[in-house]
Amino acid sequence: MMIKSGVSRYLVLPLAAAVLAGCGGQGSSGPQGKGADLPSAASTTPHAVSETSGAPPSGSGREDGSPPSPSGSASAAAGSAAGAFQGAYLRWGLDRPLAPPPAPPAVKPPLAAVWPPVSGLPTVIRRVATTDRVVFLTLDDGIEKDPAFVDQVRDLGLPFTQFLEDEVIGDHYDYFRRLRELGNRIGNHTLTHPNLAGKDFETQFHEICGQQEVLHDRLGLEPSLFRPPYGEYDRTTLEAAAECGLRKVVLWRAEMEPKGLVYRSGDGLQPGDIILAHFRGPELLDGATMTDMITSMLREIQEQGFTVARLEDYI
């Protein structure tokens, strides 16, 4: 493993007890959003609900880089719109299919860094410098574990990156393993979701490396992507992340909220935007389901002339 041997002694520290309602932290900054209300929970007719996988961890000791080999009902194109189930867009409340993304670039574009790159520290990005009409979906935490979302992802061939937090997942990593088996990679989102900025190195190391160890133990992975809770970080965060084997810090430019997409700047999507959404259910989505939220977001993406690509194909 790439994780320092000192991590295990940190894992015995108490975890925070509060379950977080959100991690974007964007609402208080007054972003300008589009008023696209979520459809009601009855607006979709889901495919047969999948069972989560009970398979043991695969790929032990390796980075979550290349996609897993799809098995079962997943096609070789799983995780991209090209592998979508025919007619699934109607089942999930879309007016038209999600367009397949372009082929992954032969040469990955330059990273649009938002922190001056420093040798030995992770690069911080908010978007990808590409002219392709693509955006990248990321889903944080793991609070909601809706089985219907697994079917929606499979049917639509929807690619995204999962940034997982241990405290809200508990013993339910099988659910996220199933999503990864459909081609969706996993990143680190800390053990208990604290605001890391300003905390000492030991605290930040515990939160980041502790979750890296959990992801290795539970899923056999050593991710290279990290998302700091609330998007807050400092140089100590980057130093701790580097010690834990993480190479990129992934922020976002657009965020999916109950009323629609909101933006950190401007009033619409741009090529290469990273979108933040969350694993959420009716109690946090004004009565809508997670699949309703995803459908509403995809409608907005389509209306603005974009499709969804896999982030790891570009960075």
Side-chain angles (χ1 to χ4, degrees):
M1 288 177 61
M2 298 168 62
I3 305 170
K4 301 290 185 180
S5 60
V7 174
S8 295
R9 69 185 179 90
Y10 290 112
L11 290 178
V12 300
L13 296 178
L15 296 179
V19 174
L20 299 160
C23 74
Q26 222 176 208
S28 61
S29 62
Q32 299 300 311
K34 180 179 178 182
D37 290 346
L38 291 172
S40 68
S43 64
T44 58
T45 306
H47 198 251
V49 174
S50 296
E51 296 295 330
T52 55
S53 169
S58 60
S60 181
R62 70 179 182 83
E63 174 188 333
D64 196 12
S66 59
S69 299
S71 60
S73 61
S75 72
S80 69
F85 183 83
Q86 187 174 7
Y89 68 96
L90 295 173
R91 176 174 295 115
W92 295 104
L94 295 174
D95 298 326
R96 59 187 184 276
L98 187 64
V107 177
K108 293 185 178 182
L111 294 173
V114 299
W115 178 282
V118 177
S119 178
L121 296 184
T123 302
V124 183
I125 62 171
R126 197 180 300 283
R127 56 181 300 273
V128 175
T130 180
T131 58
D132 290 348
R133 299 287 294 179
V134 298
V135 294
F136 307 100
L137 174 59
T138 61
L139 288 166
D140 279 12
D141 58 50
I143 290 176
E144 180 71 7
K145 305 159 189 75
D146 184 354
F149 177 60
V150 178
D151 296 292
Q152 185 182 42
V153 170
R154 183 198 61 238
D155 289 354
L156 297 177
L158 181 64
F160 62 91
T161 302
Q162 314 168 69
F163 288 94
L164 302 184
E165 172 202 345
D166 184 65
E167 185 178 47
V168 298
I169 294 175
D171 293 329
H172 301 287
Y173 277 92
D174 280 352
Y175 177 83
F176 304 95
R177 179 187 293 116
R178 180 72 186 103
L179 290 170
R180 186 182 181 277
E181 288 170 352
L182 294 175
N184 300 294
R185 321 292 176 74
I186 289 173
N188 184 321
H189 197 42
T190 74
L191 288 171
T192 68
H193 204 276
N195 185 332
L196 295 172
K199 290 184 168 53
D200 60 73
F201 179 86
E202 183 175 76
T203 298
Q204 298 202 43
F205 181 87
H206 159 63
E207 283 287 341
I208 300 169
C209 275
Q211 179 62 351
Q212 198 78 336
E213 183 163 286
V214 168
L215 292 171
H216 180 274
D217 291 346
R218 301 301 298 269
L219 298 173
L221 303 174
E222 291 177 358
S224 64
L225 302 183
F226 174 63
R227 171 163 285 158
Y230 311 104
E232 298 291 339
Y233 66 97
D234 55 19
R235 186 185 177 96
T236 301
T237 311
L238 301 185
E239 292 170 349
E243 284 291 309
C244 302
L246 295 153
R247 296 199 296 274
K248 295 181 182 71
V249 172
V250 181
L251 305 180
W252 62 92
R253 185 181 164 268
E255 181 175 352
M256 187 63 187
E257 294 189 349
K259 296 296 183 181
L261 287 171
V262 297
Y263 307 94
R264 284 189 170 264
S265 61
D267 58 359
L269 293 169
Q270 299 175 8
D273 274 351
I274 296 171
I275 300 175
L276 166 65
H278 296 85
F279 288 94
R280 292 289 183 266
E283 69 283 358
L284 295 173
L285 292 175
D286 298 336
T289 66
M290 183 161 180
T291 58
D292 291 334
M293 175 193 71
I294 295 297
T295 294
S296 181
M297 180 180 60
L298 293 178
R299 285 175 182 163
E300 287 200 61
I301 290 170
Q302 289 178 316
E303 287 169 2
Q304 296 188 49
F306 291 89
T307 194
V308 182
R310 180 184 286 115
L311 178 62
E312 289 84 352
D313 287 344
Y314 281 75
I315 67 172

